[in-house]
Amino acid sequence: PGDASAWRQLGAIRFARHDFGAATEALETALRLDPADLEARRHLYLAHMARGRRAEAEAELNRMIALAPEDPGPRTDLALLRLDQGAHGAAAALLEAAAALPGAGERTRFYLALALELSGREAEGRSALEALAEAGGRYAERALRRLAEAAAA
């Protein structure tokens, strides 16, 4: 059918069933029909990651950033790929941009703190972790654990 949302739903179902190849096909069909479907792009990014196709996953994240520059999520996810590649400074820059956007949450701020530490900006990272710990949200325990690890090192 020519219904992009139906293809997106099929892709999401196939993804949930861990049929990542079939999910990729369904999501690519959805995006041929509606290239601006950010939810389909998010699922396709995850399907590419599940299949070990990092270059394709990164390309999807870059498309998502271009389509929704105000959404901190794709920048945060792209920064996590950069952290995994050892590109700590690039990750910190992406996360600083993401954290400045409206709607940036604790997840973005937590990974920004880690990226700052890893890129040699330890005091800024520690300060960001302390703020997260004091805020008492979902990432407070992680921030406290990271601060304890750093103090023990």
Side-chain angles (χ1 to χ4, degrees), residues 16-81:
R17 292 182 177 161
H18 299 271
D19 188 353
F20 303 123
T24 299
E25 290 174 16
L27 293 163
E28 287 174 343
T29 300
L31 290 168
R32 275 193 295 278
L33 297 167
D34 181 5
D37 185 338
L38 290 173
E39 192 63 20
R41 289 202 180 281
R42 186 178 72 79
H43 282 293
L44 184 56
Y45 149 69
L46 293 170
H48 284 317
M49 287 300 293
R51 297 176 74 191
R53 300 168 84 182
R54 293 176 64 97
E56 291 91 338
E58 187 172 326
E60 280 310 316
L61 288 171
N62 283 313
R63 286 184 196 102
M64 291 168 66
I65 292 168
L67 287 168
E70 74 289 347
D71 184 350
R75 278 186 176 78
T76 299
D77 290 338
L78 184 57
L80 293 178
L81 289 178

Side-chain angles (χ1 to χ4, degrees), residues 114-132:
L114 294 182
L116 290 170
E117 282 187 334
L118 292 168
S119 65
R121 296 162 60 187
E122 292 89 358
E124 289 176 78
R126 189 171 38 260
S127 177
L129 287 169
E130 289 168 353
L132 280 168

